[in-house]
Amino acid sequence: MDKMKINFTVTEFVFLGLSSEPKTQLILFVVFLFFYLLTVVGNIIIITIIQIEPRLQTPMYFFLTNLSFLDICYTSTNVPQMLSNMVGRRRTIPFSSCATQMYFSLSFGMIECVLLGVMAYDRYVAICHPLHYTVIMDRNTCVQLAAISWSSSFLSSMVINVLTLSLPYCGPNVLNHFFCEVPSVLRLACTDTSLTELVVFIFSIVIVFIPFLLIVVSYAQILLSVLRMRSASGRYKALSTCASHLTVVALFYGTAIFMYMRPQSKSSRAGGKVIAVFYTVVTPMLNPLIYSLRNQDVKGALRRAVAKQRT
């Protein structure tokens, strides 16, 4: 009973946010509100186009639908709270709300890591085993891979959050961040966090590094297969289908690995907030732009949809 009282002495957290200057906060509010609206609208457009366009009813676009829906969820977990803090007088969040935000934010981030790995495997099968593609990546397999991505990440996030929230938090309660994230919350614990940090690091290896390894291996095989192609147009077509995915992987994994795959004692807190902006705000906003501007199938479907509305 005494332990439970100590663990929940802190009833709310206070965010320092990205800036304490009122003018800077106003500029950031306008910028991030624009980013958020662009993220939601852009990903809804991608989902809608894929659903109404018969030519896009393939495994690749099934996973892209999952990614677009995920990006809406991911950015909606953090950005509204951040926007509210920028214009509100109190930058506080109740302990329970912080725990909820931390759980879903971590879950959605993990799902994106696994899903990007699954999408790389899909491209590997499509390019390296085209004759068996429809058999290997049938509807049931795609649904199962998506379900594994979501369920494994939700369970992993649950373990990390239970360990994090079981630590005593007895003050201070000021988070040097703009949302509740495991590394920033751990710094406020009133005890040694080495074991919890080790568990977070291990789960980061499993959820972040293993899918990343799958991506590297998949694209190594794809590159070897492309180099064996005699037709230049065939090589271009194969690589063009991977360009969008590789761009998204570079943006998301580059920042996620930098944030989570290092010992916390070596991380820069100010730099960590900037990195967090990239994978929670910027990347979800850029994903629909990347897939619409660099993907010929999506661009063609958009043009047909616009033409149909005009007639």
Side-chain angles (χ1 to χ4, degrees):
M1 188 70 179
D2 292 337
K3 185 179 179 181
M4 292 297 293
K5 288 181 180 178
I6 293 173
N7 285 0
F8 294 94
T9 300
V10 171
T11 59
E12 65 178 14
F13 290 108
V14 180
F15 293 112
L16 286 184
L18 293 171
S19 174
S20 59
E21 294 292 329
K23 291 183 179 179
T24 304
Q25 286 187 55
L26 181 60
I27 294 172
L28 290 174
F29 175 83
V30 174
V31 171
F32 287 126
L33 177 61
F34 174 74
F35 283 0
Y36 178 63
L37 294 176
L38 191 61
T39 299
V40 174
V41 173
N43 282 292
I44 288 176
I45 290 173
I46 292 291
I47 293 171
T48 304
I49 289 296
I50 291 173
Q51 295 304 309
I52 66 175
E53 177 57 56
R55 301 180 189 183
L56 301 183
Q57 302 304 308
T58 64
M60 174 181 172
Y61 294 105
F62 169 78
F63 293 124
L64 180 55
T65 300
N66 273 261
L67 183 64
S68 293
F69 177 70
L70 173 64
D71 282 338
I72 294 173
C73 295
Y74 193 18
T75 193
S76 296
T77 303
N78 305 316
V79 176
Q81 174 75 48
M82 178 176 64
L83 294 174
S84 174
N85 291 336
M86 286 178 178
V87 296
R89 292 183 178 180
R90 287 174 56 83
R91 301 181 179 183
T92 60
I93 185 171
F95 189 96
S96 58
S97 298
C98 181
T100 303
Q101 184 185 60
M102 189 166 61
Y103 171 71
F104 282 107
S105 177
L106 183 60
S107 296
F108 293 140
M110 287 180 164
I111 293 167
E112 183 142 356
C113 289
V114 181
L115 197 57
L116 289 173
V118 170
M119 293 174 76
Y121 174 72
D122 170 71
R123 290 297 83 211
Y124 158 73
V125 177
I127 294 172
C128 299
H129 303 282
L131 298 179
H132 301 95
Y133 180 59
T134 55
V135 176
I136 297 173
M137 300 298 292
D138 60 10
R139 182 70 180 180
N140 288 336
T141 301
C142 292
V143 171
Q144 289 171 7
L145 288 172
I148 290 171
S149 300
W150 288 77
S151 60
S152 63
S153 300
F154 278 128
L155 289 173
S156 300
S157 179
M158 178 67 73
V159 173
I160 292 174
N161 275 265
V162 167
L163 288 173
T164 301
L165 298 175
S166 65
L167 298 173
Y169 294 92
C170 45
N173 67 334
V174 179
L175 280 172
N176 188 14
H177 216 317
F178 58 89
F179 73 101
C180 289
E181 192 173 30
V182 172
S184 58
V185 172
L186 277 177
R187 294 190 188 105
L188 301 183
C190 303
T191 187
D192 180 44
T193 61
S194 300
L195 178 60
T196 305
E197 288 183 17
L198 178 61
V199 173
V200 172
F201 184 75
I202 291 171
F203 271 92
S204 297
I205 292 175
V206 175
I207 299 295
V208 178
F209 184 72
I210 291 180
F212 182 71
L213 187 61
L214 177 61
I215 292 170
V216 172
V217 172
S218 296
Y219 276 106
Q221 293 297 316
I222 288 171
L223 182 59
L224 291 174
S225 181
V226 168
L227 291 175
R228 288 194 293 265
M229 293 180 181
R230 297 180 179 180
S231 169
S233 60
R235 289 196 294 267
Y236 174 78
K237 183 178 180 181
L239 291 175
S240 64
T241 62
C242 302
S244 300
H245 181 253
L246 278 172
T247 305
V248 172
V249 167
L251 284 171
F252 184 80
Y253 263 97
T255 53
I257 289 175
F258 182 85
M259 188 70 174
Y260 280 93
M261 297 293 286
R262 302 184 305 165
Q264 292 303 313
S265 59
K266 295 182 181 179
S267 62
S268 166
R269 298 183 184 184
K273 288 192 286 186
V274 176
I275 294 298
V277 168
F278 273 91
Y279 61 76
T280 60
V281 181
V282 178
T283 301
M285 177 201 68
L286 292 178
N287 284 354
L289 295 176
I290 292 168
Y291 276 102
S292 60
L293 294 177
R294 298 184 65 90
N295 189 297
Q296 296 298 325
D297 292 334
V298 174
K299 285 197 290 186
L302 281 169
R303 284 193 294 266
R304 286 190 291 274
V306 172
K308 189 180 293 184
Q309 289 295 322
R310 290 178 177 176
T311 56

